[in-house]
């Protein structure tokens, strides 16, 4: 596969149009929209499919996974209320697109992927081709990364049958977990705020469709 990492007026204009689409769909956080407007999404696509890169759609990236729809990425990111310097755990690195958005917002990102080919590709492409530096891990994201906990925010980018208790334990007090929960077909986006060591506030939001979260604490 051939990837293109340069960024010309064509790509920049396409990103501006994508930002306009997301704004019309209800994304209101201008910091999130600005990040969407900066991250070169075409870098995750074979050149053959360049014209798909800035459409508001998910797209296959191999290993049975997809690069998430930009609206979904923006929606989840908006729910996290990222502040510069936040320590964020991302479950499901995938292509690395969501990782880049979090980094553009000033977060320190710990990201874990279970698919070895995706892990090695993203670990190389983000810092070496795109200039984004995160902490990359290969393993079972459903159990988090306890050795670097606690985290200010946790984002899960695959559908889970329940909210893994182990992830809640890895949140700072005052921290936010955003996770799609449901069956293997559709899920509802859930936001959880950790109020105290054992108390949480839960909000159930819109319906989405994610690939399944696979692991010891998932499917």
């Amino acid at each position: 596969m051939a990837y293109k990492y340069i960024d010309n007026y064509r790509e920049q204009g396409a990103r501006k149009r994508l930002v306009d689409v997301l704004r019309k769909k209800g994304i209101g956080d201008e910091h999130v929209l600005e990040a969407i407007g900066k991250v070169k999404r075409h870098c995750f696509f074979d050149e053959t499919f360049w014209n798909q890169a800035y459409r508001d759609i998910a797209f296959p990236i191999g290993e049975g996974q997809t690069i998430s729809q930009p609206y979904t990425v923006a929606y989840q990111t908006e729910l996290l209320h990222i502040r510069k310097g936040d320590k964020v755990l991302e479950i499901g690195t995938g292509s690395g697109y969501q990782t880049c958005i979090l980094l553009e917002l000033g977060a320190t990102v710990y990201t874990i992927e279970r698919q070895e080919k995706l892990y090695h590709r993203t670990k190389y492409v983000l810092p070496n081709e795109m200039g984004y530096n995160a902490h990359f891990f290969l393993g079972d994201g459903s159990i988090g990364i306890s050795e670097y906990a606690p985290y200010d925010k946790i984002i899960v980018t695959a559908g889970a049958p329940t909210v893994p208790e182990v992830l809640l334990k890895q949140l700072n007090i005052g921290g936010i977990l955003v996770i799609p929960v449901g069956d293997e077909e559709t899920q509802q986006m859930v936001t959880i705020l950790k109020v105290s060591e054992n108390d949480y506030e839960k909000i159930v939001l819109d319906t989405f469709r994610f690939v399944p979260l696979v692991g010891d604490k998932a499917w």
Side-chain angles (χ1 to χ4, degrees):
M1 298 177 79
Y3 295 89
K4 177 184 174 184
Y5 298 107
I6 61 173
D7 192 42
N8 293 323
Y9 290 118
R10 180 180 70 167
E11 291 84 10
Q12 293 163 20
R15 281 201 299 282
K16 288 179 181 178
R17 290 190 293 275
L18 175 60
V19 168
D20 289 341
V21 168
L22 299 184
R23 187 178 281 115
K24 288 174 182 176
K25 286 188 173 183
I27 301 300
D29 188 322
E30 288 299 324
H31 296 293
V32 173
L33 291 169
E34 184 178 351
I36 294 282
K38 287 182 177 179
V39 175
K40 298 183 281 290
R41 194 169 186 255
H42 63 275
C43 293
F44 303 106
F45 287 69
D46 183 283
E47 276 192 279
T48 306
F49 303 109
W50 178 91
N51 62 343
Q52 304 296 317
Y54 295 109
R55 294 180 62 198
D56 188 26
I57 58 171
F59 200 81
I61 57 172
E63 307 304 310
Q65 306 297 303
T66 61
I67 182 171
S68 294
Q69 178 184 359
Y71 174 77
T72 303
V73 171
Y75 185 99
Q76 282 197 289
T77 306
E78 198 169 49
L79 292 175
L80 287 171
H81 299 284
I82 297 293
R83 293 175 296 191
K84 190 168 289 189
D86 273 350
K87 185 178 179 182
V88 180
L89 172 61
E90 179 190 23
I91 308 299
T93 313
S95 68
Y97 180 57
Q98 173 74 77
T99 314
C100 294
I101 299 297
L102 296 170
L103 291 167
E104 277 288 353
L105 290 167
T108 299
V109 181
Y110 293 74
T111 183
I112 184 166
E113 172 58 50
R114 66 182 296 275
Q115 297 283 354
E116 191 168 355
K117 287 184 180 179
L118 290 178
Y119 162 76
H120 286 297
R121 171 169 165 70
T122 306
K123 186 180 180 182
Y124 173 79
V125 168
L126 263 62
N128 295 293
E129 300 288 359
M130 300 180 69
Y132 290 107
N133 292 292
H135 303 276
F136 298 94
F137 298 85
L138 176 66
D140 180 358
S142 74
I143 60 173
I145 310 175
S146 60
E147 57 265 43
Y148 293 98
Y151 303 96
D152 300 306
K153 311 287 167 61
I154 299 177
I155 177 172
V156 181
T157 64
T162 59
V163 178
E165 184 73 21
V166 67
L167 295 184
L168 294 174
K169 296 297 183 184
Q170 291 177 34
L171 265 182
N172 263 326
I173 294 173
I176 297 171
L177 167 65
V178 174
I179 179 171
V181 178
D183 57 32
E184 292 181 90
E185 294 299 319
T186 60
Q187 305 86 33
Q188 287 183 288
M189 198 67 72
V190 175
T191 298
I192 298 175
L193 173 66
K194 188 168 185 175
V195 179
S196 68
E197 197 57 48
N198 297 301
D199 295 304
Y200 304 90
E201 292 181 1
K202 177 180 177 181
I203 302 172
V204 179
L205 299 160
D206 297 323
T207 300
F208 287 83
R209 184 173 183 176
F210 284 78
V211 296
L213 178 66
V214 177
D216 184 63
K217 303 299 180 182
W219 297 107

